[in-house]
Amino acid sequence: TEGCGNGACTNEFCASCLGFQPLDHNTAAIRALELYKMNAKLCGRHSTAFPDNSSAKETHPALSDNLFPPREDFREVHYLTEEKVYEILSICEGKKDYSPLIRVIGRIFSSADALVQSFRKDKEQHPNTKEQRKTHQAKDEDKDEDDKERTTAMEQESEASASMEGATGSTENRLGPVEVSVDIEAVRRVYDRLLSNEKIESAFLNALVYLTPNVELDLTYLDVYNTNPDYLNIFIIVMENSSLHSPEYLEMAMPLFCKCMSKLPLPALAKLTRLWSQYSVEHIRRMMETFQQLITYTVISNEYDSDSLVNDDECVVAAAKCLKLVFYANVLGGDLDTGHNEEEEPASESSELTLQELLGEERSNKKGPRVDPLEKELGVRTLDCRRPLIPFEEFVNEPLNDVLEMDKDFTFFKVDSESKFSFQSCPFVLNACTKSLGLYYDNRISMYSERRITALYSLVQGQQLNPYLRLKVRRDHIIDDALVRLEMISMENPADLRKQLFVEFEGEQGVDEGGVSKEFFQLVLEEMFNPDIGMFTYDESTKLFWYNPSSLENEAQFTLIGIVLGLAIYNNCILDVHFPMVVYRKLMGKKGTYLDLADSHPVLYQSLKELLDYEGDVEEDMMITFQISQTDLFGEPITYDLKENGDKIPVNADNRKEFVSLYGDYILNKSVERQFKAFRRGFQMVTNESPLKCLFRPEEVELLICGSRNLDFQALEETTEYDGGYSKDCRIIKDFWETVHSFGEEDKRLFLQFTTGTDRAPVGGLGKLKMIIAKNGPDTDRLPTSHTCFNALLLPEYDSKEKLKERLLKAITYAKGFGML
């Protein structure tokens, strides 16, 4: 249909042949298949095509202007450079005809080979022959070796200056600059110049639609990236298009393009992520919003149910995988602290291993939580990022969370991860409420598994074992009773801690369906955190607790608190715990650094910050050495050398960063090492096989344990259900909510404690709390009662609003103990 461009061509099948009869597209397609079958010879593109047709007319005088109109097609352009684009644009602007540029863009941007060769940093990097390609590939390999050597040198240098990095709590991006052959700045300038023209903009869209099927085939069936690493240029160039978020792209081009990108091999994905991490916040945000909008657009345009899952939507899955690259670029580009990791303790051995072997079963998570392949390839974790370029919360996609069937997704995550996609492999896109539901399923299945194994073991051994974790305690001796029982379990068989918990208070009739456990946890913590015991110190200014370095309590007490926190997560209970964020960071595997003092020890942090910022003579004015002092439990001073002979080493402008780093390390790590290790050991006894670490960030773990401090009673009213004859329109119910809304903050917390067993909102807020208000007879002098296990309030139909308020306040103020109703 186009020909080779040689007016003297003698190939009878070529459109440039003088006697060739023009064909319509359908006939040409049929003829092309016939020629392919007979292996017809191609004449090849003529190297001296006639741009102005003058030579053609000289060779063939019979050709007239009507048959061969002058037209600049730029057929000799096989790839684009910034200069070539501007040259063609200038010609088009002069003629006020942009069709030649549109045709060039369509041809180059729809061809993978042409796009790979376009916008190179220098002309020497255009390999057109096999020999040049081999030379170019060899140069790339040499460059990769240089990059590896440079990275190794940087890592060694970073390790040598670890003490200095600790003062700021962050490390430089050790990856070094990512070298690519495409001139990204030139691509951006070209896009900025061309996308203002609507006709040219549509050419980019159409070209991308034609490009993606071929790229998908290349990546699916050919090892194109390993053969030519510059194949990555296609994705770099396309992602610089600032119009990708427009509805036309989201509907026509982006779904398949995301699918192509998700098929890139892991090294290519890692390289793309490292490259993007060097972009500005604006560019990273634009890419994030593009993939987010594609997910949202697809989710709201379709209907999902248990038979048609969002997990099966290829577009949403591919967009989530692409969003993962932007997420890790956001992590790499932020403030990183890849050092300061807590030493992992080996998991406790127990008789459970023998039991598993006896039953011919193996635990799926025996080796601990899974590691994301991209995370491993990049050598960085989300936990390593103190402050990302874009807040993590912006990566959460709420429409996706609304349609996700978490029970099915959890099954894919645990069982069918090879054949089915689970959004828990992209936890950044899920909110804490959705992830907590996944954790709930994991915990429940673990409980049922323990129960089943115990039953089978009982049959094999011929003895009756308890399928539950039962604790019988006395209110007046709750710590002693709980400590003895849990310590025995943790020593004999820690796996029993993963059984479902049932608590019984001696002398009380309450049956534990969740509510009794809630009170047990609260009473244990009240006792343990009592300042008189001396296990923790309390800061009046921050209202937070910290480990007492001089505590006389043995490690078993701290292990018990760790077990209690783990059991609270495992049994879906919320605790009133007041720890600084550094505790949760340490539980997840990161040591505390100087920056964490801002939360846990704000006065000390401010003093150290002033030391770092001081512009005068530090040594003369401050007169500080590398020896520090603290007071113990009895008020006696204790000195500690941050370095050997620290009392003889003055702090000056050159070593003050090291001093600050060592001071923070001592306060947050070394001084409380014994207490924290025992605490973490207890926590991991319960959560070691849980997906907690791979799903949640430290801030979310705190939310999981402590619940939300924001109490939205309006949301609670909207989601409350009624039973026994009550409805939201009843007089008593209207009076009830008016009364509750009029309560102060303290009374509202007492009401929550009375009704649900905790004064905190669950993950997701009070709107996620399914409270039931049931009628409990006609007007009476009896107080309201509650079933904390089921968040149920039993409310008599009082005859006045005043009586309702008086009875309710009395009930929530004196609400200790359980009985049978």
Side-chain angles (χ1 to χ4, degrees):
T1 54
E2 296 182 8
C4 65
N6 181 5
C9 180
T10 57
N11 186 346
E12 61 177 315
F13 303 118
C14 178
S16 297
C17 181
L18 188 60
F20 186 82
Q21 297 296 322
L23 303 174
D24 62 67
H25 289 300
N26 290 333
T27 307
I30 296 170
R31 180 69 60 83
L33 290 173
E34 292 172 350
L35 293 173
Y36 176 75
K37 288 179 181 177
M38 59 186 285
N39 199 22
K41 182 181 178 182
L42 296 177
C43 52
R45 188 171 294 279
H46 190 53
S47 60
T48 56
F50 313 112
D52 57 359
N53 301 320
S54 58
S55 299
K57 290 178 184 178
E58 290 174 7
T59 308
H60 301 282
L63 291 175
S64 67
D65 286 341
N66 292 331
L67 292 175
F68 210 145
R71 189 180 73 176
E72 184 65 88
D73 278 344
F74 301 98
R75 293 285 179 190
E76 77 282 3
V77 177
H78 305 310
Y79 57 83
L80 285 176
T81 64
E82 184 179 12
E83 294 75 16
K84 177 59 69 175
V85 170
Y86 294 158
E87 177 190 333
I88 300 173
L89 180 62
S90 177
I91 294 172
C92 293
E93 287 175 341
K95 295 182 179 180
K96 292 184 171 47
D97 177 16
Y98 292 95
S99 57
L101 179 58
I102 291 172
R103 282 194 292 271
V104 170
I105 289 173
R107 181 159 49 82
I108 301 299
F109 275 75
S110 63
S111 166
D113 291 337
L115 202 54
V116 166
Q117 301 303 326
S118 296
F119 303 105
R120 293 296 185 94
K121 288 180 179 177
D122 56 69
K123 293 182 180 179
E124 292 179 1
Q125 290 181 314
H126 291 295
N128 292 321
T129 66
K130 288 184 179 179
E131 291 74 15
Q132 288 174 322
R133 287 195 187 99
K134 287 179 181 178
T135 304
H136 180 70
Q137 189 172 342
K139 286 181 180 178
D140 279 349
E141 289 172 357
D142 292 340
K143 191 185 298 178
D144 289 341
E145 290 297 324
D146 292 341
D147 287 343
K148 288 179 182 176
E149 292 174 7
R150 192 183 305 114
T151 302
T152 304
M154 291 178 71
E155 287 176 353
Q156 291 172 349
E157 185 179 342
S158 297
E159 289 171 4
S161 60
S163 60
M164 298 298 289
E165 291 165 352
T168 58
S170 63
T171 58
E172 293 296 323
N173 189 334
R174 301 174 180 175
L175 302 170
V178 178
E179 293 294 334
V180 290
S181 59
V182 64
D183 188 341
I184 298 172
E185 291 301 323
V187 174
R188 289 173 179 171
R189 290 191 293 269
V190 168
Y191 273 127
D192 289 341
R193 187 90 177 266
L194 299 184
L195 288 177
S196 56
N197 187 309
E198 290 184 7
K199 291 182 179 179
I200 298 177
E201 183 182 9
S202 63
F204 285 113
L205 171 62
N206 294 331
L208 185 57
V209 171
Y210 282 103
L211 171 71
T212 45
N214 295 324
V215 172
E216 185 186 12
L217 290 173
D218 285 349
L219 292 169
T220 305
Y221 300 107
L222 302 175
D223 194 10
V224 286
Y225 177 74
N226 288 331
T227 305
N228 180 15
D230 288 333
Y231 200 83
L232 200 62
N233 291 3
I234 295 172
F235 299 92
I236 298 171
I237 293 171
V238 171
M239 285 306 299
E240 290 302 324
N241 187 336
S242 59
S243 298
L244 294 179
H245 64 278
S246 65
E248 294 80 12
Y249 277 93
L250 295 180
E251 184 176 356
M252 298 172 60
M254 286 305 292
L256 193 52
F257 178 73
C258 288
K259 191 176 176 184
C260 292
M261 189 185 293
S262 66
K263 288 181 179 291
L264 282 168
L266 188 59
L269 294 174
K271 186 173 182 179
L272 200 55
T273 303
R274 292 189 185 102
L275 174 67
W276 287 349
S277 72
Q278 298 169 0
Y279 285 10
S280 67
V281 177
E282 292 73 22
H283 281 92
I284 294 177
R285 185 182 296 278
R286 178 178 58 77
M287 291 190 290
M288 178 204 72
E289 290 174 348
T290 297
F291 295 128
Q292 285 281 41
Q293 288 178 11
L294 178 58
I295 294 173
T296 302
Y297 175 81
T298 308
V299 165
I300 64 177
S301 302
N302 294 282
E303 293 184 3
Y304 302 100
D305 53 35
S306 56
D307 295 322
S308 176
L309 299 172
V310 69
N311 303 68
D312 296 325
D313 191 316
E314 291 185 347
C315 176
V316 176
V317 169
K321 290 179 178 178
C322 294
L323 185 61
K324 180 188 284 189
L325 306 188
V326 184
F327 176 80
Y328 279 107
N330 181 52
V331 168
L332 283 172
D335 291 341
L336 282 182
D337 177 12
T338 52
H340 306 108
N341 297 315
E342 290 279 1
E343 294 180 6
E344 292 290 336
E345 293 185 10
S348 302
E349 294 292 332
S350 72
S351 60
E352 185 197 18
L353 295 177
T354 308
L355 175 61
Q356 296 286 335
E357 293 166 359
L358 180 66
L359 297 172
E361 298 184 355
E362 284 191 15
R363 191 174 286 280
S364 59
N365 264 352
K366 195 172 175 181
K367 296 180 181 178
R370 67 186 70 188
V371 178
D372 187 276
L374 181 60
E375 189 175 272
K376 186 176 180 180
E377 182 77 13
L378 294 170
V380 68
R381 301 171 296 170
T382 306
L383 185 64
D384 295 330
C385 185
R386 286 192 163 272
R387 190 174 67 249
L389 296 175
I390 301 170
F392 290 131
E393 292 76 16
E394 294 190 30
F395 283 85
V396 174
N397 190 287
E398 293 297 345
L400 174 62
N401 281 265
D402 291 340
V403 300
L404 186 61
E405 299 274 351
M406 203 57 193
D407 54 342
K408 303 282 178 51
D409 189 88
F410 172 77
T411 305
F412 301 154
F413 182 66
K414 296 291 283 189
V415 182
D416 300 325
S417 57
E418 297 297 325
S419 58
K420 287 282 191 176
F421 178 80
S422 166
F423 286 97
Q424 289 182 76
S425 63
C426 297
F428 54 85
V429 83
L430 305 177
N431 58 37
C433 186
T434 303
K435 286 190 279 192
S436 68
L437 191 57
L439 189 64
Y440 172 79
Y441 287 129
D442 184 78
N443 295 341
R444 289 292 155 180
I445 288 174
S446 236
M447 290 176 186
Y448 298 149
S449 175
E450 295 296 339
R451 201 181 305 169
R452 171 176 164 270
I453 289 170
T454 303
L456 290 172
Y457 190 66
S458 298
L459 290 173
V460 172
Q461 294 294 316
Q463 58 184 10
Q464 189 64 35
L465 296 179
N466 196 334
Y468 301 103
L469 174 59
R470 292 191 180 276
L471 295 179
K472 188 173 183 178
V473 295
R474 298 165 291 174
R475 277 185 183 273
D476 297 337
H477 301 82
I478 191 167
I479 296 296
D480 295 335
D481 293 351
L483 182 61
V484 170
R485 180 80 178 107
L486 290 174
E487 191 172 14
M488 286 177 60
I489 292 171
S490 62
M491 291 173 62
E492 293 175 2
N493 191 7
D496 283 353
L497 294 172
R498 290 188 284 273
K499 293 178 179 178
Q500 189 171 353
L501 178 65
F502 280 99
V503 177
E504 180 184 346
F505 285 104
E506 195 171 280
E508 298 182 22
Q509 297 174 302
V511 176
D512 191 6
E513 291 290 343
V516 182
S517 297
K518 292 178 187 177
E519 179 145 351
F520 163 76
F521 286 131
Q522 205 59 47
L523 291 175
V524 167
L525 292 175
E526 284 177 9
E527 190 77 21
M528 289 288 200
F529 285 93
N530 187 337
D532 295 337
I533 293 182
M535 292 180 66
F536 296 90
T537 58
Y538 183 67
D539 189 324
E540 286 289 348
S541 61
T542 61
K543 309 294 183 189
L544 298 173
F545 288 94
W546 183 248
Y547 304 94
N548 187 344
S550 307
S551 173
L552 301 177
E553 300 295 329
N554 59 34
E555 293 183 10
Q557 301 273 35
F558 290 97
T559 302
L560 173 61
I561 297 184
I563 290 174
V564 166
L565 257 65
L567 286 175
I569 291 178
Y570 199 64
N571 290 273
N572 207 32
C573 291
I574 295 171
L575 303 179
D576 186 18
V577 179
H578 303 274
F579 278 134
M581 185 54 63
V582 63
V583 171
Y584 301 103
R585 284 180 58 81
K586 285 168 71 68
L587 278 177
M588 299 293 277
K590 297 297 290 187
K591 287 184 178 179
T593 66
Y594 150 71
L595 292 177
D596 293 306
L597 292 171
D599 189 25
S600 60
H601 300 75
V603 177
L604 175 59
Y605 171 79
Q606 191 59 37
S607 300
L608 294 176
K609 188 174 185 300
E610 289 173 3
L611 171 63
L612 290 173
D613 298 337
Y614 189 67
E615 296 180 357
D617 190 326
V618 175
E619 185 173 348
E620 289 294 327
D621 298 345
M622 299 285 189
M623 299 183 68
I624 309 171
T625 67
F626 274 76
Q627 185 181 76
I628 60 174
S629 64
Q630 286 184 304
T631 55
D632 64 10
L633 198 59
F634 305 103
E636 296 295 324
I638 301 174
T639 59
Y640 177 79
D641 286 348
L642 297 176
K643 296 177 70 174
E644 189 175 351
N645 298 321
D647 59 326
K648 299 176 183 177
I649 305 175
V651 176
N652 54 44
D654 295 329
N655 63 15
R656 58 182 170 182
K657 284 186 178 180
E658 182 185 10
F659 172 78
V660 167
S661 172
L662 292 173
Y663 203 146
D665 182 48
Y666 173 74
I667 294 295
L668 298 175
N669 303 313
K670 290 183 178 177
S671 67
V672 296
E673 186 175 14
R674 177 181 66 87
Q675 295 87 336
F676 178 75
K677 278 191 172 181
F679 173 80
R680 186 181 62 179
R681 190 183 311 120
F683 184 77
Q684 290 184 341
M685 281 180 187
V686 187
T687 63
N688 194 46
E689 295 184 359
S690 164
L692 186 73
K693 278 190 177 181
C694 64
L695 291 182
F696 293 87
R697 304 191 310 275
E699 303 84 16
E700 294 172 323
V701 174
E702 182 191 30
L703 188 64
L704 204 61
I705 294 174
C706 306
S708 172
R709 296 175 184 175
N710 180 29
L711 302 181
D712 184 1
F713 274 79
Q714 196 63 46
L716 179 62
E717 180 181 355
E718 291 172 3
T719 56
T720 296
E721 298 175 358
Y722 304 95
D723 196 12
Y726 283 158
S727 70
K728 65 177 181 178
D729 298 320
C730 292
R731 175 197 58 81
I732 182 74
I733 296 301
K734 290 181 179 179
D735 290 346
F736 168 81
W737 285 115
E738 287 176 10
T739 300
V740 170
H741 289 312
S742 69
F743 283 170
E745 186 73 15
E746 186 60 31
D747 285 339
K748 284 182 177 178
R749 292 194 179 279
L750 286 174
F751 169 75
L752 274 182
Q753 181 77 45
F754 173 73
T755 312
T756 67
T758 177
D759 64 353
R760 297 292 189 95
V763 179
L766 287 180
K768 300 294 182 180
L769 186 70
K770 301 300 181 185
M771 192 173 80
I772 301 171
I773 300 179
K775 187 174 180 178
N776 192 25
D779 180 44
T780 178
D781 288 335
R782 286 188 301 138
L783 297 174
T785 52
S786 65
H787 291 307
T788 54
C789 307
F790 309 106
N791 304 326
L793 176 67
L794 306 182
L795 185 68
E797 192 170 8
Y798 298 113
D799 59 4
S800 69
K801 184 177 178 181
E802 291 72 21
K803 187 174 183 180
L804 166 65
K805 184 174 183 179
E806 184 269 332
R807 296 279 87 187
L808 185 59
L809 280 172
K810 184 168 284 189
I812 65 177
T813 307
Y814 305 99
K816 295 286 184 183
F818 291 89
M820 296 296 287
L821 297 175

